[in-house]
Amino acid sequence: IIDEEIFEAGNSVRHAADLLNIGESKAEVVKKLIQAKNPNAKVTCINNSIFNIDRLALIETIKNIDVVLDFTANSLVEAYLSELVLQIAKKPFIQAAVSVGGFSGIVSVFIPNETACPSCQKKQGTSNLPLSSVNTKAIKETKPDYGPCSKPALPASGIDTKEVALQAARITLQFLMKNKKTIYPSITYR
């Protein structure tokens, strides 16, 4: 897990962690969440920006993993990872993003030599988040409400954000189990 940021209260809207994790490294928080579900998972944390990591070392790291996930919704990170993951390391690449306010989301799967790359997908117009009729300017100006635990901090944040994360996790697990017998159907991309 590569992330240089610290978990802040505003992150709880679109994150599986909660307010108890404020002030902790985001990478370490995610590692704890993964290992709480699977104590045997091997998770390495790098508390740094992906752009501050030696490029050759990053490529070697990517070559030694099964699938790369990008949940940054950052076009610079997307372009950089797309090159390293798909063109150089030739590994599957999954991206997920949620719109402002959590009203819509998208999960994209990229497989070298099988699917369109992120750049081609953008040109085709198939990578855009679904539009919402909700006034996103008003959402951006809405002050977070950290009331009762069962109440999301922003409208819909407890619904679509979790659904996007669930689908990204499901797709990732199907990649990791592609050579294992399972009752779940394989994902097809064509």
Side-chain angles (χ1 to χ4, degrees):
I1 301 169
I2 301 172
D3 199 326
E4 69 179 330
E5 296 181 1
I6 300 297
F7 189 78
E8 299 174 348
N11 299 131
S12 65
V13 178
R14 59 188 182 280
H15 206 286
D18 59 37
L19 298 176
L20 296 172
N21 300 108
I22 292 173
E24 294 180 46
S25 153
K26 280 186 180 179
E28 295 294 336
V29 169
V30 173
K31 178 179 180 176
K32 286 182 200 174
L33 292 169
I34 291 169
Q35 290 181 325
K37 296 285 184 190
N38 180 358
N40 297 320
K42 294 177 185 174
V43 182
T44 302
C45 294
I46 300 172
N47 296 303
N48 204 339
S49 165
I50 196 163
F51 300 111
N52 292 335
I53 299 169
D54 177 74
R55 182 178 168 92
L56 294 177
L58 186 57
I59 291 169
E60 284 308 307
T61 299
I62 292 169
K63 285 181 177 179
N64 291 313
I65 59 177
D66 297 311
V67 62
V68 175
L69 310 173
D70 172 22
F71 299 146
T72 63
N74 178 311
S75 58
L76 294 175
V77 172
E78 174 188 295
Y80 187 56
L81 280 177
S82 178
E83 177 191 359
L84 298 183
V85 175
L86 297 171
Q87 296 173 16
I88 297 172
K90 307 283 189 212
K91 294 288 184 167
F93 184 35
I94 298 173
Q95 291 181 311
V98 177
S99 68
V100 174
F103 286 100
S104 64
I106 189 167
V107 178
S108 301
V109 178
F110 306 102
I111 302 173
N113 304 318
E114 288 186 40
T115 65
C117 69
S119 177
C120 293
Q121 202 178 58
K122 278 190 170 128
K123 288 176 189 169
Q124 296 170 10
T126 58
S127 66
N128 299 330
L129 280 169
L131 296 176
S132 170
S133 60
V134 176
N135 180 346
T136 55
K137 184 176 187 284
I139 292 171
K140 287 179 184 177
E141 294 169 357
T142 302
K143 298 275 189 253
D145 175 4
Y146 303 110
C149 295
S150 63
K151 182 174 158 190
L154 289 174
S157 63
I159 301 167
D160 290 334
T161 302
K162 289 182 179 131
E163 183 61 29
V164 169
L166 175 67
Q167 294 307 318
R170 180 186 63 81
I171 291 167
T172 302
L173 286 172
Q174 285 180 299
F175 267 116
L176 296 173
M177 296 180 65
K178 68 183 173 194
N179 295 324
K180 307 244 188 291
K181 289 190 176 193
T182 177
I183 61 169
Y184 298 103
S186 302
I187 297 176
T188 55
Y189 307 100
R190 293 179 193 207

